[in-house]
Amino acid sequence: MSAPIVFSGIQPTGRKHLGNYIGAIRQYVSGQDRGQPAIFCIVDLHALSVAYDPAELRERVHDTTAILLAAGLDPERCILFRQSDVREHTELTWLLSAVTSHGDLDRMTQFKEKTGAARELASAALFYYPVLMAADVLAYKATEVPVGDDQRQHVELMREVARRFNGRFGETLVVPELIVPTVGARIMDLQEPERKMSTTASTEAGTVFVLDEPAAIRKKLGSAVTDSGREVRRAPEKAGVTNLIDVLAVARGVGPEAIEAEFEGAGYGDFKKAVAEGVVELLAPVRERYAELRPDEAALEATLAAGAEKARALAAPTLAEVRQRMGLGPA
């Protein structure tokens, strides 16, 4: 069986939090040797779909690049690039719109959640976001897409887009598989554990950022919402405790059952202290390495430029094949 082609993208908007790190970034690092190639993209074009500041966007791209490198991505073992540097993404987006219906996009849960009552005022770019995401992946004929559980609907759409294209124009695009971590796929807000931890929608006290100092992490975990009981166990009615169990299981590299067994009868105080120390230990190497990497923006730009060159070499043949299949350009 041939090695998988792995692709995933990450937004440069906002500060990266524990959910990003567990649900996506750790998967990137573990998959960079398994993927042949493993391709990781900082999706700055997606960031244009909501209000943003141009200068801040550039800063966030550098922030995100430094975090990915600090977490363990190695440009010698993977392809890391900025989305807007590879223009095949935008052209393929338009071509794939021919096999994507308005109804497909109208059913996207994230679009509804992000727009709410202001749906009519949302940008067309936000509505079109899933088509660009499909182009991101399909341009590289990726076989695996490691993402958080919240991206499941988008990946299902890109799979359907690939199938439709192949059915209409002939076998060209690869239908990728969604890869979601078995534990920690959906890390929740520490203060509102029914809501996913998010850069934009979470509470400040309920969000642990990758670059938080140990004291801040301990404070946030110490005040995490649990319930009126004492049992450290997973259950639908114990959303806060279940979330903390998952976090500690990931931090220690064990199953949730092991955490439940360890803290049976211990109460929430000792349990939350252990979670805090586990998260501090998990994130400390990333924070320390980030502080070394982030000041050298020329080096970060050189890394992104080298990655873009490699990415273009892979995406260009796919785009040429798609154009030929669709009857564009000379025969």
Side-chain angles (χ1 to χ4, degrees):
M1 186 175 180
S2 59
I5 299 173
V6 177
F7 181 97
S8 195
I10 188 167
Q11 282 262 15
T13 49
R15 293 174 287 172
K16 295 304 161 208
H17 54 70
L18 185 64
N20 299 138
Y21 183 68
I22 290 175
I25 296 173
R26 277 167 50 101
Q27 286 197 84
Y28 296 177
V29 175
S30 64
Q32 66 182 333
D33 290 322
R34 199 169 56 83
Q36 296 297 323
I39 308 162
F40 303 110
C41 177
I42 298 173
V43 292
D44 56 336
L45 292 174
H46 283 291
L48 309 187
S49 62
V50 295
Y52 74 99
D53 176 79
E56 183 180 349
L57 176 59
R58 291 193 176 96
E59 288 292 309
R60 294 303 190 192
V61 168
H62 290 153
D63 292 346
T64 304
T65 304
I67 284 179
L68 293 175
L69 295 174
L73 279 189
D74 181 356
E76 298 300 318
R77 295 155 57 197
C78 69
I79 297 172
L80 174 63
F81 71 103
R82 176 171 40 213
Q83 183 187 30
S84 62
D85 290 341
V86 181
R87 296 188 179 182
E88 283 79 2
H89 288 240
T90 49
E91 183 173 353
L92 186 57
T93 298
W94 180 252
L95 300 181
L96 293 179
S97 69
V99 290
T100 308
S101 73
H102 183 279
D104 290 331
L105 303 179
D106 205 37
R107 284 187 288 273
M108 291 293 105
T109 303
Q110 280 201 6
F111 177 73
K112 296 175 183 177
E113 290 175 348
K114 287 185 176 181
T115 56
R119 192 172 179 186
E120 294 298 319
L121 300 176
S123 71
L126 185 60
F127 187 69
Y128 228 60
Y129 186 112
V131 189
L132 177 57
M133 184 173 170
D136 293 338
V137 176
L138 300 180
Y140 300 94
K141 300 193 174 182
T143 57
E144 294 184 2
V145 188
V147 290
D149 186 64
D150 60 321
Q151 296 297 317
R152 186 180 298 273
Q153 190 183 31
H154 286 162
V155 175
E156 283 304 318
L157 177 60
M158 77 173 65
R159 285 167 52 82
E160 179 60 24
V161 167
R163 285 191 289 260
R164 285 183 198 164
F165 186 95
N166 293 343
R168 181 172 172 184
F169 298 109
E171 288 296 320
T172 307
L173 302 175
V174 171
V175 180
E177 295 295 328
L178 170 72
I179 305 297
V180 174
T182 54
V183 178
R186 201 172 178 85
I187 301 301
M188 312 307 282
D189 185 299
L190 300 179
Q191 292 299 314
E192 299 179 11
E194 295 79 16
R195 174 187 294 183
K196 184 173 72 75
M197 191 175 289
S198 163
T199 303
T200 55
S202 289
T203 61
E204 180 76 17
T207 307
V208 173
F209 294 102
V210 174
L211 302 179
D212 274 347
E213 293 293 332
I217 294 173
R218 293 185 180 104
K219 181 178 180 180
K220 290 176 181 179
L221 268 302
S223 62
V225 169
T226 50
D227 53 54
S228 59
R230 286 180 53 83
E231 291 182 283
V232 178
R233 63 179 177 85
R234 291 171 296 161
E237 70 276 10
K238 297 172 75 69
V241 174
T242 298
N243 187 46
L244 295 179
I245 290 172
D246 284 347
V247 168
L248 186 54
V250 169
R252 291 187 175 178
V254 300
E257 299 82 5
I259 302 300
E260 290 175 320
E262 179 181 348
F263 290 93
E264 184 176 0
Y268 293 157
D270 290 343
F271 171 57
K272 289 202 285 187
K273 287 179 182 177
V275 179
E277 294 311 312
V279 173
V280 167
E281 187 174 340
L282 179 70
L283 297 180
V286 182
R287 187 184 70 256
E288 292 164 6
R289 180 66 176 140
Y290 173 89
E292 298 171 4
L293 295 170
R294 180 61 181 85
D296 193 346
E297 295 189 354
L300 298 176
E301 282 293 336
T303 295
L304 294 174
E309 186 175 351
K310 295 175 184 177
R312 281 193 296 269
L314 295 173
T318 302
L319 182 62
E321 187 178 0
V322 167
R323 287 173 58 88
Q324 192 276 329
R325 291 278 193 178
M326 296 183 76
L328 300 174

